[in-house]
């Protein structure tokens, strides 16, 4: 299995990096290749996702056309626990940040990760809340399979006066579809550079009007394609947030903050995605105080 994974990764690198074949062409082929290597797990993940729709009937779902779903602090059980934990981590981290920390992130001085990847495994209670069934079921129904938790970051966005990089409209290219969960840790208002996005159907209309969006795009260009007046801003009290398909919804954030913003970002991808995270999860099989069910174990990659 390890040798097969290495061969697959090399193939993806040759097709995309060396031959410069666009990722939206390579990814379906790469996914099919990975599925042939583990067809039993593929069928299991698909079956469990169908059962969630038919039996569990989750209250929180993501409309396919819009590609997003907003939620309030009381809509998902356990969100208050996430907020309390992340608020404490943020306050402790701010006091402990060494000066050299900021030198390690010279290109994104508007967004700093406080906690990311495997660091969450040191906090089983937080990890349990991140893969709570309301959150996980919503992602599974939208993606049509039990996804994998591929990334998480607790991010601090400080005051800034910039509008560049991910502060401009863009898509995320990890896969053709994905679900990112954004949770505001403190009350977030318009002057704090909130996540701002266009629904998936409007993003599609914009691309039809101006051509395929690659990289970062200025507002004026997006507005020329009909995006003006359709922006959704993720503002609200602590615990408010959104499920967002950042592969289909044009978005930006952390632009020209007048005050600090802290947000938890959780990423779910199809298990057979070609994306390899820079800060991966390596979840141990035995998490103290957390006994995940089968769906949660698949999402965490625990076998």
């Amino acid at each position: 299995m390890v040798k097969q994974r290495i061969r697959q990764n090399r193939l993806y690198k040759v097709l995309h990096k060396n031959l410069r074949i666009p990722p939206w062409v390579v990814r379906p082929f790469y996914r099919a290749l990975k599925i042939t290597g583990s067809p039993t797990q593929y069928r299991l993940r698909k079956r469990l996702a169908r059962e969630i729709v038919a039996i569990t009937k989750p209250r929180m779902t993501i409309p396919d056309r819009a590609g997003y779903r907003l939620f309030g602090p009381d809509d998902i059980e356990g969100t208050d626990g996430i907020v309390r934990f992340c608020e404490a981590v943020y306050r402790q981290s701010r006091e402990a940040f060494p000066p050299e920390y900021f030198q390690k992130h010279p290109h994104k001085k508007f967004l700093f990760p406080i906690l990311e990847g495997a660091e969450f495994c040191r906090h089983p209670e937080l990890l349990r809340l991140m893969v709570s069934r309301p959150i996980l079921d919503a992602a599974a129904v939208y993606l049509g399979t039990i996804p994998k938790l591929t990334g998480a970051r607790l991010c601090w966005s400080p005051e800034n006066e910039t509008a560049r990089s991910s502060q401009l409209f863009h898509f995320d290219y990890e896969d053709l579809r994905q679900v990112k969960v954004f949770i505001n840790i403190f009350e977030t208002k318009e002057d704090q550079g909130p996540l701002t996005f266009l629904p998936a159907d409007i993003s599609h209309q914009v691309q039809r009007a101006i051509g395929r969006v690659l990289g970062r795009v200025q507002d004026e260009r997006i507005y020329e394609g009909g995006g003006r007046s359709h922006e959704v801003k993720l503002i609200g009290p602590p615990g408010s947030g959104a499920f967002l398909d950042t592969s289909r919804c044009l978005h930006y954030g952390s632009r020209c903050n007048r005050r600090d913003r802290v947000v938890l970002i959780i990423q779910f991808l199809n298990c057979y995605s070609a994306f390899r995270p820079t800060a991966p999860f390596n979840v141990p099989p035995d998490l103290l105080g957390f006994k995940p069910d089968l769906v949660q174990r698949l999402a965490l990659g625990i076998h």
Side-chain angles (χ1 to χ4, degrees):
M1 181 63 72
V2 173
K3 289 183 178 180
Q4 182 185 43
R5 190 179 303 118
I6 292 173
R7 287 196 298 269
Q8 291 173 348
N9 291 338
R10 286 175 179 171
L11 177 61
Y12 182 80
K13 182 177 180 181
V14 168
L15 294 174
H16 176 46
K17 300 292 186 180
N18 297 357
L19 299 181
R20 298 187 180 278
I21 299 176
W24 56 87
V25 175
V26 174
R27 283 170 184 154
F29 170 76
Y30 183 84
R31 175 177 297 172
L33 182 64
K34 292 184 72 174
I35 290 172
T36 60
S38 54
T40 301
Q41 184 172 148
Y42 170 77
R43 289 192 293 268
L44 173 63
R45 288 176 179 268
K46 297 285 284 187
R47 177 176 63 79
L48 290 173
R50 289 194 299 269
E51 289 179 359
I52 290 173
V53 175
I55 300 173
T56 307
K57 301 185 186 304
R59 182 171 59 90
M60 189 74 64
T61 58
I62 308 167
D64 188 78
R65 179 178 178 181
Y68 79 94
R69 170 71 181 265
L70 301 177
F71 57 83
D74 299 323
D75 289 338
I76 301 176
E77 184 179 358
T79 305
D80 55 341
I82 291 177
V83 169
R84 286 195 302 271
F85 180 90
C86 291
E87 180 180 350
V89 170
Y90 163 72
R91 298 195 186 283
Q92 294 168 5
S93 300
R94 280 298 306 272
E95 296 175 359
F97 277 154
E100 59 270 18
Y101 175 86
F102 302 98
Q103 300 302 319
K104 293 180 180 178
H105 302 84
H107 304 299
K108 271 199 172 185
K109 292 187 177 180
F110 53 84
L111 192 66
F112 296 98
I114 299 172
L115 203 66
E116 62 180 330
E119 294 171 347
F120 283 90
C121 296
R122 298 199 298 265
H123 310 284
E125 182 62 20
L126 177 60
L127 196 60
R128 181 184 65 80
L129 294 171
M130 287 163 51
V131 292
S132 65
R133 289 303 298 268
I135 291 177
L136 190 50
D137 288 0
V141 171
Y142 179 77
L143 295 173
T145 183
I146 304 303
K148 187 172 182 180
L149 175 64
T150 50
R153 285 186 173 185
L154 177 61
C155 292
W156 164 46
S157 180
E159 294 181 38
N160 68 83
E161 298 180 351
T162 58
R164 59 185 180 85
S165 186
S166 59
Q167 293 173 301
L168 300 176
F169 274 111
H170 64 284
F171 290 112
D172 290 342
Y173 301 103
E174 293 94 338
D175 206 345
L176 301 176
R177 280 177 174 246
Q178 65 176 295
V179 174
K180 282 187 178 178
V181 187
F182 296 82
I183 301 176
N184 291 323
I185 303 306
F186 298 105
E187 183 176 17
T188 302
K189 298 185 178 181
E190 288 201 34
D191 65 349
Q192 292 171 275
L195 170 71
T196 303
F197 60 90
L198 300 179
D201 54 341
I202 302 299
S203 298
H204 178 67
Q205 291 176 22
V206 168
Q207 284 206 110
R208 291 187 64 182
I210 68 173
R212 184 178 290 277
V213 173
L214 298 173
R216 280 47 167 156
V217 182
Q218 296 289 338
D219 292 359
E220 292 74 17
R221 184 68 171 143
I222 299 299
Y223 297 158
E224 287 173 8
R228 189 186 297 274
S229 79
H230 292 286
E231 294 177 332
V232 180
K233 295 183 182 293
L234 189 56
I235 57 177
S240 61
F243 295 92
L244 181 65
D245 184 345
T246 56
S247 294
R248 297 177 59 220
C249 297
L250 284 162
H251 63 284
Y252 68 83
S254 301
R255 183 192 293 183
C256 299
N257 298 30
R258 293 293 174 262
R259 293 181 293 138
D260 286 7
R261 177 173 66 103
V262 180
V263 60
L264 176 65
I265 306 171
I266 309 167
Q267 181 187 46
F268 294 99
L269 285 172
N270 189 300
C271 179
Y272 300 95
S273 169
F275 175 67
R276 286 175 291 168
T278 55
F281 278 89
N282 293 303
V283 181
D286 184 19
L287 291 168
L288 184 63
F290 178 27
K291 296 186 181 300
D293 61 23
L294 176 58
V295 170
Q296 291 170 321
R297 290 178 68 86
L298 287 171
L300 292 169
I302 300 175
H303 301 294

